[in-house]
Amino acid sequence: MRETVRTRLLPINRSELNALLLLCSFAPLANAQFSVTLNPSVPSPAAVGTQVTWTAVVSGADPGPFWYRFSTRGQVEGHRTVRDFGPENTLGWAAGERDGSYTVEVEARSLGTGERASATSAFTALPNAVGGRPAIRPTMHPLVFLYSAPPCRMGQIMAVYYTSSGQPVQETSAKSCDGVYTMNFYVAGLRPETTYYLKHIVQGPGTVSEGPVLTFRSGQPEFALPVMTKIQPYPPTTQPVLLSGAVFSYLQATDLDGTVIWYYPEIVSFLTRPEPGGSFFAINEVQDADSSRQIVREFDLVGNILLETNAARVSEQLEAMGKRPINAFHHEARRLPDGNILLLAGVEQILTNVQGPGAVNVLGDMIIVMNRDLEVIWAWDGFDHLDPRRLATQNERCTPGVCPPLYLASQANDWMHGNSVSRTPDGNLLFSIRNQDWVVLIDYQDGKGSGQVIWRLGQDGDFRIRSDDPWPWFSHQHDPEFESNGMLSLFDNGNVRWSSDNAVNSRGQVYRLDEVNRVAELVLNSNLGYYSFALGSAQLLLNGNYFFGNGFRADGSGIGEEVNPSGDVVYSIESTAPEYRTFRMKNMYTP
């Protein structure tokens, strides 16, 4: 039986981390009895944005299997770990965010001996904008184009503006000029088979200039996507893009009429969050595969991997620090304001006479923070901070597809089933624990916290509730977060209420919390008209309304609804696929 290990909570500094990793007995590179080469699918030089597949090939002695780590270095960007050690020996890469010289590196590591070998390859990205003229070119994604403009003076900023007939003007995120390199932007949010007109605008202290108008035509999606159908018309809004995290299908973005304007050309388990500038975090779980195949990834609008790691690699770091290993990532991955990455992962432990007679496999959760180089710098284990004797409120068990893959036993008690983590304005962490019907506040303090649970919100928690509803508390909730107005919004699936009365519906809820006196006031409690037994999201819109995602209805569909402050539904759109989360966005670059 695995005994409960209580260790001091991270943070841990870089020198301590490096010393601990030496315990893994990795041999120095010079001692390797094998070598590795790195081969591009497209020879250097090539135009900025060219899609290149890098393949690592090991030769010599065969102490395999091997893991591979890929990284890049640019003249401006510096070193970046793109994919940490794992079994994949190829990496898809776009030739730079700007023209210039790049170095791509692979490090191969033998799992049998710990020996390592590395190889590097230089690659030159040539400018698309030549002769002082901008250029627009397609990418491998039919609804994403690459716009390139000549360099602009340091101290200025540039953005690209584009539109089609009868449609509002869209804009990319602005980028800072450096006066040396060309400016390159992915143009996304395009209706299929549509002609667009675009130009760049440069702004500086007291100056504004524009580039010439270029014309291009978008392509057609290559896959069958979930059908989005507008049920109730929408009012004017500043957030006309709907990003949908479908499960069992392709992720996509549509306008509010349901017309597709973007999609991700790979099926993953969870779209967790969009990030500023046009990137996205996703998690993929693979049942019946080892933990090296359980991944978290950030990708761009074309689908290029910006960073990726796997549960086995993260477990190596955790175990070197005296922590339990994880089995897979699930439900949450997002970037924190300081640039670090916040993750949620599953943790198994065999407990004896705690959640049942004899030895029982129990699945809990771990919150992990990594830096940009995919190094673990802080971790919180639910087994160390919550009482495992408090069972899941509906006595949930893990079944295939409901929980991450299990490795200690074929079944487990689904004790926590956390489904979101967010940073609060004061630097702590808000953690939604679905199967406990709780939202808890964790002492994080931007990496300096103890991990102590500060309070528990929900039935049998630390707050008394102010509401005239006979059943005010949420159950099996999703996506709680403090909004910019100071309120806490969430989607109340209502599973516990529904088990008592099958006529009830899920609700969109907003709470005002008095944390000093531990009083929760329910200021919005909107009956959304449907019951969603799983999935869901909540979001404050710029117009003061809220948008709630009813993720998984009984017929397998999802529906998103905009609700005004009085609780009335003013807009709704239906999807043929269940949706983990939905996001209303200003454009594809602004979450």
Side-chain angles (χ1 to χ4, degrees):
M1 180 185 76
R2 178 186 292 273
E3 296 293 329
T4 298
V5 178
R6 296 184 181 271
T7 63
R8 71 180 179 90
L9 198 76
L10 304 179
I12 186 166
N13 64 39
R14 180 69 62 84
S15 61
E16 289 177 306
L17 175 63
N18 290 338
L20 285 167
L21 289 178
L22 290 176
L23 297 176
C24 296
S25 301
F26 296 159
L29 295 175
N31 291 345
Q33 301 301 306
F34 61 91
S35 62
V36 62
T37 57
L38 186 60
N39 304 310
S41 61
V42 177
S44 176
V48 170
T50 299
Q51 302 297 314
V52 181
T53 299
W54 295 90
T55 302
V57 179
V58 169
S59 58
D62 186 12
F66 294 95
W67 275 4
Y68 305 86
R69 176 165 58 193
F70 291 87
S71 58
T72 62
R73 183 180 297 276
Q75 293 168 284
V76 176
E77 295 83 359
H79 178 270
R80 292 181 177 179
T81 299
V82 180
R83 175 183 282 146
D84 206 352
F85 279 115
E88 297 291 337
N89 74 323
T90 63
L91 175 70
W93 177 74
E97 298 177 2
R98 65 189 80 221
D99 53 283
S101 299
Y102 292 83
T103 300
V104 180
E105 179 179 9
V106 67
E107 186 174 348
R109 190 181 102 205
S110 165
L111 296 189
T113 67
E115 295 176 322
R116 294 177 292 165
S118 66
T120 60
S121 182
F123 201 97
T124 299
L126 301 175
N128 295 312
V130 295
R133 297 185 301 275
I136 183 79
R137 58 173 285 178
T139 69
M140 66 179 184
H141 194 302
L143 299 182
V144 182
F145 281 67
L146 179 64
Y147 178 84
S148 301
C152 44
R153 294 197 304 273
M154 185 174 292
Q156 297 179 320
I157 60 172
M158 179 186 292
V160 178
Y161 296 77
Y162 51 104
T163 187
S164 61
S165 178
Q167 296 297 311
V169 175
Q170 301 184 67
E171 63 183 281
T172 66
S173 298
K175 293 185 177 182
S176 298
C177 308
D178 60 18
V180 177
Y181 297 99
T182 60
M183 305 291 288
N184 298 278
F185 301 81
Y186 284 129
V187 177
L190 310 175
R191 289 187 167 206
E193 299 291 346
T194 301
T195 299
Y196 280 85
Y197 308 89
L198 85 167
K199 64 181 178 182
H200 68 261
I201 296 181
V202 179
Q203 301 180 62
T207 65
V208 177
S209 61
E210 300 181 359
V213 175
L214 303 184
T215 304
F216 69 99
R217 187 169 179 81
S218 59
Q220 187 71 28
E222 301 169 320
F223 308 100
L225 302 171
V227 176
M228 305 292 290
T229 304
K230 181 174 61 177
I231 304 300
Q232 185 170 338
Y234 61 92
T237 178
T238 56
Q239 290 161 284
V241 172
L242 178 64
L243 178 64
S244 301
V247 295
F248 316 126
S249 188
Y250 294 97
L251 315 176
Q252 66 173 333
T254 68
D255 61 21
L256 297 188
D257 288 324
T259 301
V260 62
I261 57 175
W262 178 84
Y263 63 94
Y264 180 50
E266 183 176 337
I267 293 178
V268 292
S269 302
F270 299 99
L271 169 70
T272 59
R273 304 284 172 180
E275 296 292 333
S279 68
F280 311 86
F281 275 101
I283 285 168
N284 202 38
E285 297 175 2
V286 183
Q287 298 292 327
D288 301 321
D290 66 54
S291 59
S292 70
R293 300 290 180 177
Q294 317 303 326
I295 65 167
V296 60
R297 170 187 299 167
E298 184 183 16
F299 57 90
D300 65 19
L301 286 159
V302 176
N304 298 306
I305 295 173
L306 303 178
L307 59 83
E308 182 181 290
T309 190
N310 61 81
R313 172 59 182 146
V314 171
S315 290
E316 283 187 336
Q317 299 180 58
L318 291 169
E319 290 186 289
M321 298 168 186
K323 294 287 183 179
R324 298 181 184 91
I326 59 173
N327 56 358
F329 307 105
H330 65 87
H331 287 88
E332 190 66 278
R334 65 193 308 171
R335 184 164 279 107
L336 294 169
D338 58 11
N340 291 329
I341 301 160
L342 179 65
L343 303 169
L344 187 58
V347 179
E348 290 178 84
Q349 192 173 196
I350 304 292
L351 301 179
T352 301
N353 298 327
V354 174
Q355 292 204 4
V360 176
N361 190 26
V362 178
L363 181 64
D365 286 323
M366 183 180 289
I367 298 171
I368 297 167
V369 179
M370 298 189 304
N371 63 20
R372 177 58 185 81
D373 285 325
L374 304 176
E375 298 166 327
V376 177
I377 58 174
W378 195 90
W380 179 94
D381 190 333
F383 282 109
D384 294 336
H385 294 278
L386 293 171
D387 185 358
R389 293 171 296 182
R390 187 180 194 266
L391 302 181
T393 58
Q394 293 195 305
N395 203 28
E396 282 89 349
R397 302 286 195 273
C398 283
T399 57
V402 172
C403 296
L406 301 174
Y407 298 115
L408 298 186
S410 60
Q411 296 181 340
N413 285 0
D414 194 5
W415 172 43
M416 299 179 69
H417 203 107
N419 56 26
S420 73
V421 191
S422 61
R423 180 187 180 273
T424 62
D426 59 358
N428 292 317
L429 296 179
L430 194 71
F431 179 32
S432 172
I433 313 177
R434 169 181 165 89
N435 286 354
Q436 294 289 309
D437 296 333
W438 276 349
V439 177
V440 303
L441 184 68
I442 296 170
D443 178 28
Y444 175 60
Q445 297 182 44
D446 289 329
K448 301 180 178 67
S450 66
Q452 176 186 355
V453 174
I454 299 171
W455 50 247
R456 302 160 300 168
L457 180 70
Q459 184 70 40
D460 301 324
D462 301 316
F463 286 74
R464 58 186 175 88
I465 192 163
R466 185 178 297 160
S467 171
D468 57 7
D469 191 292
W471 201 318
W473 284 120
F474 51 83
S475 61
H476 283 46
Q477 73 288 341
H478 279 80
D479 203 25
E481 190 156 358
F482 281 106
E483 301 284 6
S484 59
N485 61 5
M487 305 292 185
L488 188 150
S489 67
L490 58 83
F491 179 73
D492 169 30
N493 294 77
N495 296 45
V496 174
R497 287 185 298 116
W498 188 87
S499 65
S500 298
D501 179 2
N502 293 167
V504 304
N505 297 316
S506 298
R507 302 179 296 192
Q509 292 191 326
V510 178
Y511 290 83
R512 180 185 291 113
L513 299 186
D514 178 349
E515 297 183 64
V516 174
N517 297 303
R518 297 293 196 262
V519 177
E521 180 184 358
L522 189 53
V523 298
L524 178 65
N525 191 28
S526 178
N527 183 334
L528 296 174
Y530 305 94
Y531 171 60
S532 175
F533 67 91
L535 315 182
S537 57
Q539 176 189 1
L540 173 66
L541 300 178
L542 295 175
N543 62 7
N545 293 344
Y546 286 85
F547 190 77
F548 296 102
N550 294 256
F552 206 157
R553 298 184 295 180
D555 63 358
S557 66
I559 187 169
E561 296 171 286
E562 182 175 339
V563 173
N564 66 21
S566 299
D568 303 318
V569 176
V570 296
Y571 164 75
S572 60
I573 187 168
E574 189 176 63
S575 170
T576 55
E579 297 181 334
Y580 173 50
R581 286 179 182 152
T582 53
F583 303 89
R584 290 276 293 278
M585 302 171 64
K586 176 183 176 182
N587 50 43
M588 293 301 300
Y589 314 89
T590 311

